[in-house]
Amino acid sequence: MVRHVLWFEDLRRGDVATVGGKNASLGEMVATLAGQGIKVPGGFATTADAFRAYITHNNLDARIADTLAALEGHRIDLAKAGAAIRAMIREGHWPQDILAQINAAYAQLCTREGVADVPVAVRSSATAEDLPDASFAGQQETYLNVRGAEALLAACRRCYASLFTDRAISYRRLKGFDHDKIALSIGVQRMVRADTGGSGVMFSLDTETGYPDMVLINAAWGLGENVVQGAVNPDEYQVYKPFLDRPGLTPILEKTLGAKAKKMIYGRTGGDTRNVPTSKAERARFVLSDPEILELARMAATIERHYGQPMDMEWARDGDTGELFIVQARPETVQSRLDAGAFRSYAVGQHGKVLLSGLSVGGAVATGPVCVIEDARDIDRFVDGAILVTSITDPDWVPIMKRAAAIITDHGGRTSHAAIVSRELGLPAIVGTGTATHVLHDDQEVTVSCAEGETGFIYEGTAEFSVQDIALSEIPQTRTRVMLNMANPAAAVRWWRLPAGGVGLARMEFVINNAIKAHPMALIHPECLDDKTREKIDALTLGYDDKKLFFIEKLAMGLSRIAAVSYPDPVIVRMSDFKTNEYADLLGGRGFEPHEENPMIGFRGASRYYSDAYAPGFALECAAIKRLREEMGFDNVIVMIPFCRTPQEADRVLEVMAANGLKRGENGLEVYVMCEVPSNVILAEEFAGRFDGFSIGSNDLTQLTLGVDRDSGELADLFDERNAAVQWMIKTVIERAHAVGSKVGFCGQAPSNDPDFARLLVGYGIDTISVTPDSFLAVKRNVAEAEKTP
């Protein structure tokens, strides 16, 4: 007897020709990874030969071929061709041997699970699906909560028919696959009660940059179709993969709370599902706990290690048992196939006002007219080269997505259909904007920028932008370590391929300003705030009962993404260096900050850290650094103190840090000082006795050496970092620090703007130069040339 049905445990990943990529992968995991903690719901698969036998039994081969020939000859349109073929297949009858085997397998699955008419997911698995050069994302159908043998057979027919949906036909034409050489296997898998739990999608690398040390997880309440389709804005979690095997660490780099406005649950009858609104409580809390995030990330790492390549996975959590399951796994098909030896960088210049923002996909920039289409039935209105704006996409949209300059959606996360297909097509996309279809209108000229980190921006009009192609093989080696200046954690991962020597300056205040947004003292003393401000802070800290914990966790996670990309190279994190007017602009900040006529040389930097007015806020900064280094594992982080005016002030700051768990020298902690006040140069030996190194901040050092307000337009001509007095300061601190064995770096903007300045620093014997990422290549070349000069 020919076996038309095979149990998952009898399959291996080499069985793609027999059961398609999806089912072969399920079988591989069931058979080989169960002992490594990978749970996959049990089930069985019909073979590709069963599909061919079904087609032949119903005399459909010639009829399908004739219909497709009419389509290629333009005698019939795509919609009519697809509808005709699907109707033929749905109306077919089962060969008796296949019918008997499916019924027997389903009865045995019910027995195994101890449930009569056990609910199953019925998934399509094309024999050419999930190949390395094509994702076939969602091209065929999946049916959930199917109960009973009769409903199962009907769902199987519909799966067969879905091999010829309009989108599947179109996609195969795009990828050059012959229709008659592709067959369909059906996977029948026990349903996980994710309708009362949660589910989502997971990648074993960063989907936007190809950064290999990250696991990206999206999560929503209920069944997973909403996440896959992009119908909801899910939670997003990022995990640092190399630390997953280190006991006691929690290397979660980011947790973003998604709107999760609805969830898909079981319908009232078998084979039925429906969407219902989520509760306020569900929208206000994360789907996954930290231990669950780490458990899923470990599964992703295990699966990737087994397959030997980056993977794209779907997962589900059973609401009854709390167990986590992998329900699909396939090779990642975009980033893993890019040239790792080169990358293209986009930079946005002058631009119009920000109209909208969302999650960026693709890293590129595009301009063009908007074309708003809210229903796939209207895709004929699309204009080639326009920017497609829609609520969500599904595979029916692929024919016009490939003709678009960029894509914008109201809903969806970075693992939604729109995001996956945009990456595959090489298009920039911004998903989850919320209101794009309401705010934007047809023929409106906009710029879509995905070049500024995880947040994508839609700018009014046509922005200026530049493109740089960097071949990593062309970057020379240097004795002088060239590092990066980083502020935006979301953009840090873009530069993971650069062979930088670490991060010479990570600005803490960027994270506070953009991720935390509230003044730390306002979080500590909400009773001092007016009702309106307190309401805003309550909304900002949604999901956190302890507002201080919100500050600590957000700051630690924000900095962790910078630390992760550079690990194990050093990352120098400067403690907060807002001026009082900038602190006052934070939410709730006005009541905690004095008014100063000249904040630039006022209550800033080190002087704040031991002051009664800010010491509790500084304690939160210290707690975040302690969490970053000790709980998350990023012991490559070095702390730097800005604007430290005297050695006595240094002593007070170090004492406060030690009282907050950050003692210089313990657990390998190094503490640097910014060299930006002339006293840092004049008393260099005394400062060197208190700190492990100096980092020259040339903007403030120039300002205070020349007595020139760096923000004054009238004095702009006098502000010159190459002035002889400033150069004396730089040269002298390097000489004096080196004489007592202290390291000196340079983190000012000058080497980024002026390559000759980099040569000057090499001549002075600087240890490290830290520059903006977009100028890294030019500075690195200039440093190499300078090192050749005797």
Side-chain angles (χ1 to χ4, degrees):
M1 181 185 74
V2 177
R3 291 185 67 188
H4 293 294
V5 171
L6 300 170
W7 288 94
F8 287 159
E9 57 264 34
D10 297 327
L11 297 171
R12 296 295 184 275
R13 59 176 148 171
D15 292 325
V16 174
T18 303
V19 293
K22 191 177 297 180
N23 288 332
S25 184
L26 286 171
E28 176 76 16
M29 290 189 293
V30 168
T32 64
L33 293 179
Q36 298 183 50
I38 306 301
K39 298 176 183 176
V40 178
F44 59 88
T46 65
T47 65
D49 283 343
F51 170 80
R52 297 185 183 100
Y54 180 92
I55 296 297
T56 300
H57 179 77
N58 289 283
N59 300 312
L60 298 180
D61 299 87
R63 294 171 63 191
I64 291 172
D66 290 345
T67 305
L68 291 173
L71 172 64
E72 295 300 328
H74 305 290
R75 298 189 302 275
I76 186 173
D77 64 25
L78 176 62
K80 289 182 179 178
I85 296 172
R86 293 193 298 274
M88 298 175 202
I89 295 173
R90 285 195 304 266
E91 292 164 5
H93 301 284
W94 289 100
Q96 281 301 313
D97 56 341
I98 299 175
L99 177 69
Q101 288 184 43
I102 293 175
N103 281 334
Y106 180 67
Q108 188 174 342
L109 182 63
C110 292
T111 301
R112 285 186 179 189
E113 299 297 332
V115 179
D117 291 344
V118 61
V120 292
V122 182
R123 305 181 188 276
S124 306
S125 181
T127 54
E129 191 174 17
D130 301 323
L131 296 181
D133 58 348
S135 73
F136 279 73
Q139 294 306 310
Q140 281 76 51
E141 297 293 354
T142 291
Y143 299 96
L144 304 177
N145 190 31
V146 176
R147 305 180 200 177
E150 186 176 340
L152 172 60
L153 292 167
C156 288
R157 286 192 191 90
R158 294 201 298 275
C159 279
Y160 280 170
S162 76
L163 191 61
F164 293 94
T165 58
D166 298 354
R167 64 199 183 220
I169 295 170
S170 178
Y171 192 84
R172 288 196 293 272
R173 293 165 82 186
L174 173 68
K175 288 293 181 180
F177 288 98
D178 292 336
H179 299 291
D180 60 353
K181 292 182 180 175
I182 294 178
L184 195 96
S185 165
I186 299 166
V188 180
Q189 187 177 36
R190 175 180 68 81
M191 283 290 293
V192 176
R193 287 304 306 265
D195 61 312
T196 58
S199 54
V201 178
M202 175 166 64
F203 286 83
S204 65
L205 49 54
D206 180 59
T207 54
E208 300 314 308
T209 66
Y211 177 55
D213 288 339
M214 180 187 292
V215 175
L216 175 72
I217 304 171
N218 277 182
W221 301 110
L223 302 174
E225 292 303 293
N226 283 337
V227 177
V228 174
Q229 294 168 3
V232 297
N233 294 346
D235 292 346
E236 181 172 296
Y237 315 106
Q238 298 172 11
V239 183
Y240 188 59
K241 202 161 46 181
F243 287 174
L244 284 170
D245 293 331
R246 296 193 184 183
L249 294 184
T250 307
I252 300 172
L253 304 180
E254 178 65 11
K255 295 195 305 187
T256 302
L257 190 68
K260 308 182 296 290
K262 59 184 176 181
K263 63 179 178 180
M264 183 177 289
I265 62 173
Y266 286 180
R268 295 180 177 87
T269 60
D272 185 26
T273 60
R274 61 193 176 105
N275 273 311
V276 297
T278 48
S279 67
K280 286 184 178 180
E282 287 172 321
R283 295 194 292 274
R285 74 175 190 267
F286 291 108
V287 173
L288 295 173
S289 66
D290 286 1
E292 288 172 329
I293 294 169
L294 295 175
E295 182 180 349
L296 277 175
R298 290 188 183 100
M299 288 185 186
T302 298
I303 293 168
E304 179 186 64
R305 191 162 50 245
H306 178 79
Y307 280 84
Q309 63 190 110
M311 297 295 287
D312 166 2
M313 296 145 280
E314 293 180 26
W315 61 271
R317 183 184 63 201
D318 192 298
D320 293 340
T321 67
E323 293 177 284
L324 291 166
F325 292 89
I326 301 296
V327 296
Q328 287 192 44
R330 62 185 74 82
E332 193 275 340
T333 57
V334 179
Q335 290 292 344
S336 56
R337 299 187 64 79
L338 295 179
D339 180 7
F343 67 96
R344 173 167 289 183
S345 172
Y346 290 76
V348 178
Q350 292 276 3
H351 58 76
K353 71 176 183 180
V354 177
L355 300 174
L356 284 167
S357 64
L359 292 172
S360 70
V361 175
V365 177
T367 63
V370 165
C371 186
V372 181
I373 299 180
E374 298 197 57
D375 194 300
R377 290 174 296 186
D378 299 325
I379 61 176
D380 290 342
R381 288 200 305 105
F382 187 74
V383 178
D384 286 2
I387 292 171
L388 173 63
V389 177
T390 186
S391 180
I392 63 170
T393 68
D394 61 32
D396 289 330
W397 292 78
V398 172
I400 64 167
M401 291 173 76
K402 65 183 180 181
R403 294 157 43 201
I407 296 165
I408 302 170
T409 69
D410 289 341
H411 307 295
R414 290 203 290 162
T415 58
S416 63
H417 175 269
I420 290 171
V421 173
S422 295
R423 287 186 206 102
E424 187 171 326
L425 296 175
L427 297 175
I430 298 179
V431 299
T433 62
T435 57
T437 55
H438 298 281
V439 172
L440 304 177
H441 60 79
D442 283 349
D443 299 324
Q444 180 181 11
E445 287 289 331
V446 300
T447 297
V448 174
S449 171
C450 297
E452 299 165 76
E454 292 175 356
T455 300
F457 298 97
I458 297 108
Y459 297 119
E460 186 176 56
T462 301
E464 297 176 359
F465 67 93
S466 59
V467 184
Q468 182 183 24
D469 290 310
I470 299 176
L472 300 182
S473 61
E474 298 176 4
I475 298 177
Q477 298 288 324
T478 60
R479 294 188 304 275
T480 306
R481 178 176 285 197
V482 181
M483 307 171 80
L484 300 178
N485 290 336
M486 288 286 184
N488 183 358
V493 180
R494 291 176 55 208
W495 306 103
W496 72 270
R497 288 188 175 93
L498 283 184
V503 173
L505 175 62
R507 297 179 177 91
M508 180 182 287
E509 53 268 19
F510 186 95
V511 180
I512 296 173
N513 208 23
N514 290 274
I516 296 171
K517 301 179 182 178
H519 195 289
M521 297 300 292
L523 298 173
I524 295 169
H525 293 295
E527 73 278 2
C528 297
L529 306 174
D530 60 68
D531 291 344
K532 186 175 181 181
T533 303
R534 193 158 48 242
E535 286 175 8
K536 289 181 179 178
I537 285 182
D538 286 343
L540 182 68
T541 58
L542 195 65
Y544 290 86
D545 295 330
D546 184 345
K547 292 174 173 41
K548 295 189 291 295
L549 180 61
F550 166 79
F551 183 96
I552 294 166
E553 187 169 277
K554 285 291 184 183
L555 182 54
M557 285 183 176
L559 294 171
S560 73
R561 283 185 282 173
I562 298 174
V565 173
S566 295
Y567 194 85
D569 288 326
V571 171
I572 302 173
V573 174
R574 186 177 70 189
M575 305 303 276
S576 66
D577 192 28
F578 286 121
K579 289 74 179 174
T580 49
N581 58 323
E582 295 168 334
Y583 267 116
D585 286 338
L586 293 172
L587 187 60
R590 294 278 170 206
F592 296 98
E593 294 297 329
H595 172 73
E596 295 184 300
E597 292 299 330
N598 193 346
M600 190 70 76
I601 55 172
F603 186 44
R604 61 175 286 200
S607 62
R608 298 182 65 92
Y609 304 156
Y610 55 85
S611 164
D612 290 342
Y614 187 73
F618 184 63
L620 297 186
E621 295 182 25
C622 291
I625 295 294
K626 186 174 175 65
R627 181 187 185 106
L628 176 64
R629 285 177 49 84
E630 298 177 16
E631 296 179 32
M632 301 180 75
F634 295 105
D635 53 10
N636 59 327
V637 167
I638 295 169
V639 172
M640 184 156 65
I641 305 302
F643 224 79
C644 187
R645 296 171 169 94
T646 69
Q648 292 71 32
E649 188 168 59
D651 291 336
R652 297 185 71 177
V653 170
L654 291 170
E655 183 180 340
V656 171
M657 288 178 60
N660 284 297
L662 293 179
K663 186 174 182 179
R664 179 186 168 211
E666 281 191 0
N667 300 313
L669 176 64
E670 293 186 43
V671 184
Y672 281 28
V673 65
M674 288 289 292
C675 177
E676 53 194 343
V677 182
S679 60
N680 301 142
V681 180
I682 297 165
L683 302 174
E685 291 86 356
E686 291 190 52
F687 280 101
R690 291 161 169 82
F691 295 103
D692 298 286
F694 294 81
S695 185
I696 300 169
S698 59
N699 283 343
D700 273 324
L701 189 59
T702 301
Q703 172 177 246
L704 296 174
T705 299
L706 299 180
V708 175
D709 183 347
R710 72 189 201 194
D711 293 334
S712 171
E714 290 80 2
L715 301 178
D717 290 343
L718 295 175
F719 188 89
D720 182 8
E721 290 160 309
R722 300 194 62 170
N723 181 278
V726 180
Q727 293 302 304
W728 183 90
M729 288 283 185
I730 294 171
K731 185 172 184 289
T732 299
V733 77
I734 294 172
E735 290 172 350
R736 290 184 177 181
H738 283 176
V740 294
S742 190
K743 294 167 282 190
V744 185
F746 190 98
C747 64
Q749 187 64 22
S752 298
N753 297 335
D754 181 3
D756 287 337
F757 200 95
R759 297 190 186 99
L760 203 64
L761 292 172
V762 171
Y764 291 157
I766 199 80
D767 295 303
T768 64
I769 297 174
S770 187
V771 300
T772 55
D774 57 341
S775 62
F776 176 85
L777 180 58
V779 172
K780 189 80 167 168
R781 286 172 175 164
N782 287 322
V783 168
E785 287 300 317
E787 289 180 346
K788 292 177 185 177
T789 305

